[in-house]
Amino acid sequence: MYSIAVMPPAWFLWLGLSGGLGAEPIKELEHRLGELALQVFIAVLAVRPLREWTGVSFLKLRRALGVVTFAYVCLHLLVWLVLDVQILSEIWADIVKRPYITVGMAAFVLLVPLAVTSNNLSLRKLGPKRWKSLHRMTYPAAILAALHFVMLAKGFQIEPLVYLGLVLGLIASRQRLPRRTAAA
Amino acid sequence: MSGCFKEDLTWRDVTPKAAWLNRRQLIAGGAGALAMGSIVGPAAASLNAVKTDYGAGLDPNPLEDITSYNNFYEFGTGKGDPVQNAHMLTTEPWSIEIDGLVDNPGTYSMEDVLEGVTLEERIYRFRCVETWSMVVPWVGFELADLLGKAGVQDGARYVAFETAYRPEEMPGVRSRVIEWPYREGLRLDEAMHPLTILATGLYGEPMPKQNGAPIRLVVPWKYGYKSIKSIVRISLVREQPPTAWNMYSAREYGFFSNVNPNRDHPRWSQKFERRIGGGLFSKKFETLMFNGYEEEVAGLYEGMDLIKNH
């Protein structure tokens, strides 16, 4: 799993170094990593609904997919910090002053405790109930991540809205609405 | 330019080399064998622009960068979409509708537009609102030349421009990213400024389609989106015309859109820029007021609050 997960970012990095990402490879690399992270994040959210609808279960892979999502987010953030913004004072100014970056950073911050507790030891220590409720933070984090993409689009663009729609749709599909009684 | 109507003829009034070269080639082509075609082709492609001092000391980006990294949303929102899709645009024949407060309104063919103008090579900085920049060796002539031909009337205070809108040739316009057709505008004094050019080529060759063939505006002290591409209409008007990005979000994209490191875009800082083509470890550098053309254009905005009038 993890050895496969290393491949896309490594490939992007290779493209970036060899000129395969075009005339402005920094933004391109940053955007591709961000999009990749969002795609895997959506895969994480899709595991449960997929099992319910089709019976196909990737439940065993879900935690690993979550860790991969976090790793991609870290790479995305690292490219932004080191290659893109570069200037320290500008980094903080961006986080505070630019709402789309604030939202993106908030998503990252929510993911940190989830990544830290993604091991079996944490699961045992917290107990399944507390661990599960902590990991419900996945949902707000996913919404913020998709929102981050929507907010940075120039003009009215479909693609980021599709991602946001998928995230919201998958989360909504888990909410079992209480059955209406005939009397109501 | 007003100079066109005075008696003191200058070198600018001489038939451009490009034009007479074309004439000779037509004659040669008419007289001769088909084999001439192979000689005429590349020779006719070259624009024979007069070199100028504009941009002396600037190091232009390679043609490859300039033609592969474009914002031309009519062909898609990706930077690589225009180079993929712009070949669909028919640029011959081409004409510009000039209307509004002018003495000589009408349809100007490219031949009319280029008649009597001297094509110059001018190397300008080009700064995108998205904080990337490049240096481009444009080939073009001053917009004032064309406005002179059209005869600007007294009441005109602004110039409005429109890009071609052709859904069958422009896959990007199927999606309403912004309201089509693309529109831009300048105050008349900005339009008449000698730095403001209509470009018909770059690197000495006719304008690549993804860069706004066959004719586009270049206003080097403003963010790139002001330099409207593939122009089909120019109107001289009394009131400030609506402009595409300003209509989309006035807070983010002002009418003037002068490059100004002190006025941030609401979503990002404009203090720094990165020249494209520098690879993965390309360093940022400080953006210059009016994109480095402060000396030439600051006078246009004397006494104006450039933060409010961004």
Side-chain angles (χ1 to χ4, degrees):
Chain A
M1 172 81 203
Y2 293 121
S3 54
I4 295 170
V6 170
M7 283 154 79
W11 172 240
F12 293 159
L13 189 67
W14 163 249
L15 284 178
L17 289 169
S18 63
L21 293 181
E24 218 291 63
I26 299 173
K27 282 276 180 211
E28 187 65 25
L29 182 65
E30 182 181 304
H31 292 167
R32 286 206 191 184
L33 287 169
E35 207 165 344
L36 186 67
L38 198 51
Q39 285 160 353
V40 184
F41 210 157
I42 286 170
V44 171
L45 294 177
V47 167
R48 262 299 282 283
L50 190 74
R51 193 180 68 162
E52 238 138 88
W53 299 332
T54 68
V56 181
S57 179
F58 293 103
L59 220 53
K60 279 194 181 132
L61 276 179
R62 189 168 63 174
R63 216 191 318 167
L65 283 171
V67 174
V68 169
T69 301
F70 184 74
Y72 289 169
V73 168
C74 287
L75 288 173
H76 170 67
L77 192 62
L78 206 65
V79 170
W80 176 71
L81 287 172
V82 179
L83 299 180
D84 188 0
V85 191
Q86 296 172 3
I87 300 139
L88 216 64
S89 60
E90 288 290 298
I91 293 170
W92 184 244
D94 265 1
I95 294 172
V96 190
K97 275 166 77 178
R98 319 289 165 204
Y100 83 90
I101 291 177
T102 317
V103 166
M105 282 307 279
F108 171 73
V109 168
L110 290 184
L111 288 177
V112 172
L114 308 193
V116 171
T117 59
S118 62
N119 48 63
N120 286 331
L121 182 71
S122 302
L123 177 57
R124 248 177 283 133
K125 277 206 163 160
L126 284 166
K129 231 179 170 170
R130 270 197 295 173
W131 193 88
K132 238 184 146 173
S133 69
L134 173 69
H135 280 249
R136 288 220 172 88
M137 241 159 31
T138 306
Y139 310 132
I143 294 170
L144 288 173
L147 201 60
H148 165 70
F149 191 20
V150 169
M151 285 170 79
L152 64 85
K154 232 178 104 198
F156 176 79
Q157 297 196 36
I158 305 290
E159 199 191 351
L161 292 173
V162 169
Y163 280 106
L164 182 62
L166 276 172
V167 167
L168 292 176
L170 287 170
I171 292 173
S173 74
R174 324 172 55 92
Q175 309 298 322
R176 294 244 178 90
L177 293 169
R179 279 193 193 162
R180 292 180 186 191
T181 59
Chain B
M1 289 225 87
S2 54
C4 297
F5 302 107
K6 287 185 203 147
E7 282 180 71
D8 48 339
L9 293 172
T10 66
W11 277 108
R12 304 198 55 163
D13 301 298
V14 175
T15 306
K17 195 177 173 191
W20 60 254
L21 263 182
N22 277 336
R23 244 174 261 159
R24 276 192 199 171
Q25 281 149 2
L26 277 176
I27 295 161
L34 279 166
M36 287 299 286
S38 59
I39 303 166
V40 173
S46 167
L47 293 173
N48 289 294
V50 176
K51 298 264 177 208
T52 65
D53 290 336
Y54 289 100
L58 288 176
D59 187 19
N61 280 82
L63 182 67
E64 164 81 19
D65 290 357
I66 298 171
T67 54
S68 67
Y69 193 79
N70 307 100
N71 277 333
F72 198 166
Y73 281 14
E74 282 83 342
F75 297 104
T77 53
K79 296 286 184 286
D81 291 341
V83 67
Q84 293 290 321
N85 298 327
H87 66 90
M88 291 183 237
L89 182 69
T90 310
T91 54
E92 278 175 76
W94 193 272
S95 59
I96 301 178
E97 199 68 36
I98 302 184
D99 59 14
L101 301 166
V102 289
D103 295 330
N104 312 307
T107 306
Y108 287 66
S109 69
M110 276 306 279
E111 289 69 38
D112 300 333
V113 169
L114 291 171
E115 200 198 338
V117 304
T118 305
L119 292 180
E120 294 181 341
E121 180 174 90
R122 297 190 180 193
I123 301 171
Y124 282 164
R125 292 178 206 93
F126 185 91
R127 168 64 153 79
C128 179
V129 72
E130 297 165 358
T131 76
W132 55 266
S133 67
M134 49 172 104
V135 173
V136 187
W138 300 109
V139 173
F141 58 93
E142 290 175 20
L143 171 61
D145 291 348
L146 183 62
L147 297 182
K149 273 186 204 170
V152 179
Q153 292 180 349
D154 274 348
R157 290 175 54 224
Y158 292 91
V159 188
F161 304 85
E162 241 176 68
T163 296
Y165 171 75
R166 299 181 189 161
E168 68 285 1
E169 294 184 355
M170 297 173 152
V173 302
R174 280 173 221 152
S175 163
R176 256 189 57 165
V177 185
I178 51 170
E179 208 179 311
W180 312 108
Y182 195 87
R183 276 160 273 203
E184 258 311 332
L186 295 173
R187 218 168 55 187
L188 187 59
D189 57 345
E190 298 175 321
M192 299 298 280
H193 194 278
L195 280 177
T196 305
I197 59 169
L198 285 172
T200 58
L202 54 87
Y203 267 111
E205 298 293 323
M207 190 67 73
K209 290 184 177 179
Q210 63 271 31
N211 294 86
I215 187 162
R216 65 169 291 169
L217 186 69
V218 179
V219 195
W221 71 92
K222 293 175 181 283
Y223 292 121
Y225 61 88
K226 292 297 284 186
S227 294
I228 184 169
K229 300 187 184 81
S230 305
I231 299 168
V232 292
R233 188 167 171 209
I234 298 177
S235 314
L236 276 291
V237 293
R238 206 179 298 270
E239 305 295 332
Q240 182 178 305
T243 59
W245 282 106
N246 185 252
M247 287 157 71
Y248 170 73
S249 173
R251 201 172 67 92
E252 296 185 65
Y253 311 98
F255 174 78
F256 288 99
S257 292
N258 294 317
V259 174
N260 184 350
N262 307 314
R263 201 273 175 187
D264 285 351
H265 183 282
R267 286 184 283 166
W268 54 82
S269 161
Q270 295 290 23
K271 278 197 198 75
F272 300 91
E273 68 193 69
R274 180 161 35 230
R275 189 131 305 154
I276 66 158
L280 265 186
F281 305 102
S282 173
K283 283 271 160 274
K284 283 183 165 186
F285 59 93
E286 284 189 28
T287 289
L288 300 168
M289 187 66 199
F290 293 115
N291 203 22
Y293 300 97
E294 187 166 14
E295 208 176 296
E296 292 94 328
V297 302
L300 295 171
Y301 310 102
E302 236 171 63
M304 261 175 68
D305 181 345
L306 292 173
I307 302 294
K308 247 165 98 183
N309 301 291
H310 62 91

